[in-house]
């Protein structure tokens, strides 16, 4: 196999440079994986390098396995002897063999993230610290960031700047938690993920003999996605390569987007300072995108000051101009995009898998999901669960459901001790058991709790009952948004999420705000027959048909954050919410460096597209329950206008109407259900009585028969065949169904 003939001259130069340090600057879509793969194959096949002496480091197991398989197709089973894997897997392997030198047995335990957070939570409790202030997510991230910068707990507590930061955040005890955490891990003979890096550095620093051993073993060190390395990762690999100096790194400074995880762009920008005899190869030919997309991306990234100069180009066709689309609101943006996807599919004969919708934050998926559901297009949310299945969203919905229906057991279980109010599982089980034994409703038992439970339980239970009563009264006198906001705030749920300043905590808080925004939009919609919580819950019960991931069906629209999309490509890409304060993110910009990272993120988003790129934004967007005016992002304005197609007409509505008209010709129209026909006093049956074969009535869909009932992720679902609208999948906790005798 003459693999070199598949390479352009620059790729070939990188592959055949086998002696001395080499930096490959690989622009988007330039074939960096092929270069890395072929170089390893070339070392083994042509230069007879022992695979055992080659160390290749990646960031994902998937990337490592794919490269190993490609190499094996060229050199045979010798590829299986490579030291190839993620930083964590390779360093763990070394620590298994050498960890006894720093006090760890070969069978040490690796704590996952949840293990680490549970231990931190326990330490906070033991130190009698406020768990609402010292949230395990926040503390974990502080300790993780410290380890990635090789800051030990002793250095942490003696660093004046760090101590000042913790004091300003009202968390002066993090250093002490860090110290106890490290000691407890060591006592348990356990390492967390960050320890796999931190302790490898300690091992090589304190035991030169071990370092010398691996320096001799690894004659060639190769690193993929070098721009994503943190301080610790680079320091270790630099040490390993310092003897033979055959270090080969591939990356793109323009795609360095993980600073929040500790990635340091200076590793790639300053690489030449550490290796003065460095060979630099630039892969500038893009094989992925059209000329218009490549040129637009270049015009964006050239605005950054901290960069390695390169001129990415392509032989591909000119392609369509980049479409910039404006919507009135975020919900209209979702509808606009779903219609554009519908149009593109029919006009170009594309499939769902040809499309990706990319957003800056996870909370933005809500409007996209709802719009795609309405038009009947299958989608999959990557890097998380669909909006209405996210824990924090389900938590608030559970509060709303329980205020409407005091006998909802699933909702009761979810909210009774969240936020924590000292009611354990034993007490919860006893409440439900008492309800069943006494043959009384759950609410009846709660109202008369003093008849059944001791003082300790009553101390927490009575305030909960009083709170639910107050919510019920408040809800009867206010619309859904005012009620939901009051419940979210008074219950303590909002405060609990707000106090968690970790990346994950901020995302969860944003999701709650987005749920409240959706309720506000529901209230502001004059077409709705009523504006109470009950009606809103009925509405969203109809939006859950596609809330399950079906990996067997590959024909779905991909929805994901831009961070998740890195390394992927799609024929048609929508980058949504390209507005000031959202993208670039107001929360992430405090310095020029922050702005440049946001711009690199935008560059990554643009370069995911192969053929057609849409950039969309809204004139208005709900923020904290208020309709705010929005501005088009500066990033759109930074694109050379030669590559942009601005349209005031958002979508070819006549085309869509014609297609939909054809699809609906043979569909029986829904029986007329006027607002007046819907009984506001509609009384639903107990969900435990809703079984297969039972005839039911729905306040909007009319009569039907339950075809199937199942439980998925603790949610009870039913497929109901209605006479007027056909089959619908409903969540029984949301949907109102009345049994017809």
């Amino acid at each position: 196999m003459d693999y070199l003939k598949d390479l352009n001259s620059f790729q070939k130069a990188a592959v055949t440079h086998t002696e001395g340090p080499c930096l490959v600057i690989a622009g988007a879509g330039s074939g960096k994986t092929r270069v890395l793969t072929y170089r390893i194959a070339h070392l083994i096949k042509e230069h007879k390098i022992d695979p055992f002496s080659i160390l290749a480091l990646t960031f994902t197991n998937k990337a490592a396995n794919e490269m190993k398989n490609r190499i094996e197709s060229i050199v045979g089973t010798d590829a299986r002897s490579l030291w190839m894997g993620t930083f964590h897997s390779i360093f763990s392997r070394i620590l298994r063999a050498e960890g006894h030198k720093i006090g760890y047995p070969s069978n040490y335990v690796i704590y996952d993230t949840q293990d680490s957070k549970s231990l931190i939570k326990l330490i906070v409790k033991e130190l009698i610290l406020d768990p609402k202030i010292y949230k395990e997510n926040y503390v974990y991230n502080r300790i993780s960031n410290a380890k990635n910068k090789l800051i030990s707990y002793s250095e942490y507590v003696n660093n004046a700047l760090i101590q000042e930061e913790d004091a300003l955040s009202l968390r002066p005890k993090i250093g002490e938690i860090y110290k106890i955490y490290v000691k407890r891990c060591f006592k348990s003979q356990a390492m967390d993920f960050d320890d796999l890096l931190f302790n490898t550095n300690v091992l090589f620093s304190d035991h030169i003999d071990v370092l010398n051993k691996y320096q001799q073993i690894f004659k060639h060190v190769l690193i993929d996605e070098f721009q994503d390395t943190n301080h610790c990762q680079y320091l270790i690999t630099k040490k390993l390569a310092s003897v033979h100096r055959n270090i080969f790194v591939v990356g793109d400074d323009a795609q360095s987007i993980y600073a929040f995880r500790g990635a340091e762009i200076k590793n790639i920008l300053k690489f030449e300072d550490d290796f003065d005899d460095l060979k630099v190869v630039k892969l500038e030919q893009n094989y992925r995108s059209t000329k218009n997309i490549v040129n637009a991306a270049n015009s964006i990234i050239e605005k950054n000051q901290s960069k390695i100069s390169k001129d990415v180009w392509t032989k591909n066709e000119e392609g369509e101009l980049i479409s910039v689309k404006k919507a009135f609101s975020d919900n209209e943006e979702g509808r606009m995009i779903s219609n554009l996807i519908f149009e593109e599919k029919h006009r170009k004969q594309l499939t769902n898998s040809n499309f990706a919708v990319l957003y800056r934050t996870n909370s933005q998926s809500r409007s996209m999901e709802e719009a795609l559901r309405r038009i009947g297009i299958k989608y999959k949310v990557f890097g998380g669960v669909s909006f209405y299945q996210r824990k924090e969203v389900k938590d608030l919905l559970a509060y709303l459901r329980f205020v409407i229906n005091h006998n909802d057991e699933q909702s009761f279980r979810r909210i009774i001790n969240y936020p924590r109010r000292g009611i354990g599982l034993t007490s919860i089980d006893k409440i439900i058991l008492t309800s069943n034994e006494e043959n009384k409703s759950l609410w009846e038992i709660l109202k008369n709790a003093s008849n059944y439970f001791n003082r300790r339980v009553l101390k927490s239970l009575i305030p909960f009952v009083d709170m639910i009563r107050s919510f019920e009264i408040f809800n009867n006198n206010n619309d859904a948004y005012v009620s939901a906001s009051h419940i979210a705030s008074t219950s303590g749920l909002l405060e609990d999420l707000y106090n968690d300043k970790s990346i994950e905590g901020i995302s969860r808080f944003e999701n709650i705000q987005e749920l409240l925004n959706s309720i506000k939009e529901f209230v502001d919609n004059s077409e709705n027959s009523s504006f109470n919580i009950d009606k809103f819950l009925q509405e969203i019960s109809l939006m859950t048909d596609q809330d399950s991931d079906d990996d067997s069906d590959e024909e779905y629209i991909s929805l994901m954050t831009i961070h998740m999309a890195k390394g992927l490509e799609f024929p048609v890409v929508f980058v949504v919410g390209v507005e000031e304060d959202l993208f670039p993110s107001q929360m992430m910009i405090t310095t020029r460096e922050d702005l440049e990272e946001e711009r690199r993120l935008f560059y990554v988003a643009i370069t995911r597209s192969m053929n057609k790129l849409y950039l969309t934004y809204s004139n208005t967007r709900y923020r904290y329950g208020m309709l705010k005016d929005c501005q088009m992002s500066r990033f759109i304005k930074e694109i050379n206008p030669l590559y942009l197609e601005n349209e005031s007409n958002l979508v070819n509505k006549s085309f869509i109407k014609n297609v939909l008209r054809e699809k609906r010709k043979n569909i029986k129209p829904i029986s007329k259900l006027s607002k007046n026909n819907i009984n506001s006093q509609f009384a639903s049956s107990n969900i435990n009585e809703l079984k297969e074969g039972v005839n039911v009535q729905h306040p909007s869909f009319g009569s039907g028969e339950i075809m199937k009932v199942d439980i998925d992720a603790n949610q009870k679902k039913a497929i109901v065949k209605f006479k007027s609208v056909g089959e619908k999948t409903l969540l029984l906790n949301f949907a109102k169904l009345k049994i017809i005798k």
Side-chain angles (χ1 to χ4, degrees), residues 689-707:
E689 298 175 3
L690 299 173
K691 300 175 182 177
E692 188 174 320
V694 171
N695 293 318
V696 293
Q697 184 81 19
H698 187 274
S700 298
F701 299 142
S703 61
E705 180 185 355
I706 297 177
M707 309 304 293

Side-chain angles (χ1 to χ4, degrees), residues 183-436:
K183 290 183 178 295
R184 293 279 278 276
C185 284
F186 185 78
K187 182 182 176 184
S188 300
Q189 299 290 269
M191 297 190 204
D192 63 23
F193 289 139
D194 297 309
D195 285 331
L196 298 176
L197 308 181
F198 186 91
N199 286 336
T200 301
N201 184 72
V202 171
L203 177 68
F204 288 162
S205 298
D206 295 352
H207 298 273
I208 301 300
D209 58 322
V210 178
L211 175 60
N212 289 339
K213 174 183 173 180
Y214 287 94
Q215 285 174 333
Q216 294 305 319
I217 290 175
F218 301 134
K219 293 182 173 56
H220 290 269
V221 177
L222 303 95
I223 305 174
D224 189 21
E225 303 287 5
F226 185 61
Q227 76 280 347
D228 295 334
T229 53
N230 61 34
H231 175 63
C232 186
Q233 288 165 332
Y234 178 45
L235 192 62
I236 294 170
T237 49
K238 188 171 71 169
K239 286 178 179 177
L240 288 170
S242 62
V243 173
H244 296 286
R245 296 178 62 78
N246 293 323
I247 184 168
F248 183 90
V249 302
V250 182
D252 183 8
D253 58 293
Q255 298 187 67
S256 179
I257 59 174
Y258 291 111
F260 67 94
R261 289 185 189 168
E264 295 192 0
I265 192 173
K266 69 179 182 182
N267 289 347
I268 193 168
L269 296 177
K270 305 295 184 183
F271 190 65
E272 194 169 3
D273 295 346
D274 292 329
F275 297 92
D276 51 10
D277 55 340
L278 179 71
K279 180 179 177 65
V280 178
V281 180
K282 295 181 181 179
L283 306 182
E284 296 174 312
Q285 183 176 356
N286 179 295
Y287 293 91
R288 175 186 299 154
S289 307
T290 63
K291 282 187 174 69
N292 279 320
I293 293 171
V294 169
N295 292 335
N298 286 341
S299 70
I300 278 288
I301 206 63
E302 69 181 12
K303 303 293 193 300
N304 275 7
Q305 295 180 25
S306 299
K307 64 180 185 294
I308 297 172
S309 63
K310 56 182 175 294
D311 183 23
V312 180
W313 58 277
T314 184
K315 288 183 180 179
N316 295 339
E317 63 181 7
E318 286 288 331
E320 296 181 50
L321 294 173
I322 296 168
S323 296
V324 179
K325 301 286 188 180
K326 178 175 68 174
F328 174 72
S329 67
D330 51 345
N331 270 11
E332 188 192 354
E333 183 183 36
R335 290 191 291 271
M336 175 182 73
I337 290 167
S338 66
N339 288 339
L340 284 166
I341 290 172
F342 192 88
E343 180 181 353
E344 288 268 359
K345 281 179 65 177
H346 286 78
R347 184 161 56 89
K348 298 178 181 177
Q349 297 302 299
L350 301 174
T351 62
N352 287 345
S353 58
N354 294 138
F355 296 86
V357 180
L358 310 182
Y359 34 79
R360 180 63 181 85
T361 64
N362 268 308
S363 62
Q364 292 171 259
S365 78
R366 193 262 315 166
S367 58
M368 302 301 143
E369 290 182 61
E370 291 182 5
L372 290 169
R373 285 194 193 102
R374 286 192 179 99
I375 204 169
I377 297 177
K378 190 174 180 66
Y379 68 87
K380 183 175 179 179
V381 179
F382 286 80
V385 294
S386 61
F387 183 80
Y388 287 107
Q389 292 300 317
R390 293 169 192 168
K391 178 187 177 303
E392 58 280 5
V393 173
K394 292 173 73 173
D395 287 340
L396 181 52
L397 289 175
Y399 268 104
L400 303 185
R401 291 204 309 264
F402 197 72
V403 169
I404 300 301
N405 177 8
H406 298 330
N407 294 306
D408 183 346
E409 182 181 321
Q410 289 189 33
S411 295
F412 169 74
R413 284 185 177 274
R414 195 168 193 101
I415 69 173
I416 180 64
N417 201 41
Y418 180 71
R420 296 186 188 95
R421 49 179 65 91
I423 302 175
L425 286 174
T426 303
S427 298
I428 296 169
D429 289 340
K430 189 177 178 183
I431 293 168
I432 293 167
L433 182 64
T434 304
S435 171
N436 294 332

Side-chain angles (χ1 to χ4, degrees), residues 372-547:
L372 290 169
R373 285 194 193 102
R374 286 192 179 99
I375 204 169
I377 297 177
K378 190 174 180 66
Y379 68 87
K380 183 175 179 179
V381 179
F382 286 80
V385 294
S386 61
F387 183 80
Y388 287 107
Q389 292 300 317
R390 293 169 192 168
K391 178 187 177 303
E392 58 280 5
V393 173
K394 292 173 73 173
D395 287 340
L396 181 52
L397 289 175
Y399 268 104
L400 303 185
R401 291 204 309 264
F402 197 72
V403 169
I404 300 301
N405 177 8
H406 298 330
N407 294 306
D408 183 346
E409 182 181 321
Q410 289 189 33
S411 295
F412 169 74
R413 284 185 177 274
R414 195 168 193 101
I415 69 173
I416 180 64
N417 201 41
Y418 180 71
R420 296 186 188 95
R421 49 179 65 91
I423 302 175
L425 286 174
T426 303
S427 298
I428 296 169
D429 289 340
K430 189 177 178 183
I431 293 168
I432 293 167
L433 182 64
T434 304
S435 171
N436 294 332
E437 287 179 345
E438 296 286 326
N439 198 24
K440 294 180 179 178
S441 70
L442 187 61
W443 187 241
E444 191 70 23
I445 299 299
L446 291 172
K447 283 194 302 182
N448 299 287
S450 58
N451 297 334
Y452 303 102
F453 307 109
N454 59 38
R455 282 185 191 174
R456 185 185 61 79
V457 176
L458 290 173
K459 188 178 178 182
S460 300
L461 198 55
I462 289 174
F464 172 78
V465 173
D466 291 342
M467 180 179 70
I468 298 299
R469 279 173 166 162
S470 72
F471 289 165
E472 183 180 22
I473 296 168
F474 192 91
N475 180 53
N476 290 335
N477 295 289
N478 292 278
D479 64 42
Y481 173 72
V482 174
S483 294
S485 299
H486 175 75
I487 291 168
S489 176
T490 308
S491 66
L493 187 149
L494 264 184
E495 183 185 6
D496 190 66
L497 294 173
Y498 182 79
N499 286 333
D500 185 354
K501 300 301 182 183
S502 65
I503 298 293
E504 301 87 347
I506 292 169
S507 179
R508 285 192 285 270
F509 184 77
E510 287 176 344
N511 285 332
I512 287 295
Q513 292 299 335
E514 182 60 27
L515 176 60
L516 293 174
N517 290 340
S518 72
I519 298 174
K520 183 66 166 98
E521 188 154 9
F522 164 81
V523 169
D524 290 348
N525 186 352
S526 59
E527 295 180 3
N528 289 325
S529 58
S530 65
F531 308 111
N532 56 37
I533 288 177
D534 193 15
K535 181 65 176 176
F536 173 76
L537 292 174
Q538 287 184 51
E539 288 282 316
I540 66 168
S541 75
L542 308 179
M543 300 178 188
T544 59
D545 293 13
Q546 298 180 19
D547 270 2

Side-chain angles (χ1 to χ4, degrees), residues 591-607:
T591 63
R592 180 179 64 80
E593 287 76 18
D594 294 339
L595 177 61
E596 293 200 351
E597 171 121 345
E598 287 287 296
R599 189 177 284 115
R600 290 194 296 270
L601 189 60
F602 187 58
Y603 174 86
V604 167
I606 288 176
T607 55

